[in-house]
């Protein structure tokens, strides 16, 4: 069966962050204030996922 519609474009970084927050909240959880700071930086395009992971690892290794 041929596809009649184009595939969806991947989400923007801001959309991906919103999707991730929705998923976490659906589980009854909420990121910490620091987590929100990192997610906001990702949503704004200030940092990428690798940098976000590095910041979170460094923060929680203290």
């Amino acid at each position: 069966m041929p596809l009649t519609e184009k595939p969806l474009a991947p989400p923007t970084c801001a959309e991906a962050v919103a999707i991730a927050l929705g998923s976490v909240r659906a589980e009854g959880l909420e990121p910490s204030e620091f987590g929100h700071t990192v997610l906001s930086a990702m949503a704004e395009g200030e940092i990428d996922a690798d940098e976000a992971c590095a910041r979170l690892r460094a923060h929680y290794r203290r």
Side-chain angles (χ1 to χ4, degrees):
M1 175 189 288
L3 293 175
T4 58
E5 296 181 27
K6 289 189 217 177
L8 294 175
T12 65
C13 197
E15 291 168 337
V17 166
I19 292 166
L21 277 172
S23 178
V24 166
R25 289 174 174 152
E27 296 291 329
L29 303 171
E30 185 67 29
S32 66
E33 184 176 331
F34 181 75
H36 275 286
T37 300
V38 172
L39 287 170
S40 292
M42 278 188 63
E44 295 296 320
E46 297 168 7
I47 62 173
D48 62 14
D50 290 335
E51 177 61 22
C53 289
R55 289 183 185 190
L56 290 166
R57 279 192 302 270
H59 178 78
Y60 288 106
R61 283 187 180 154
R62 294 180 197 173

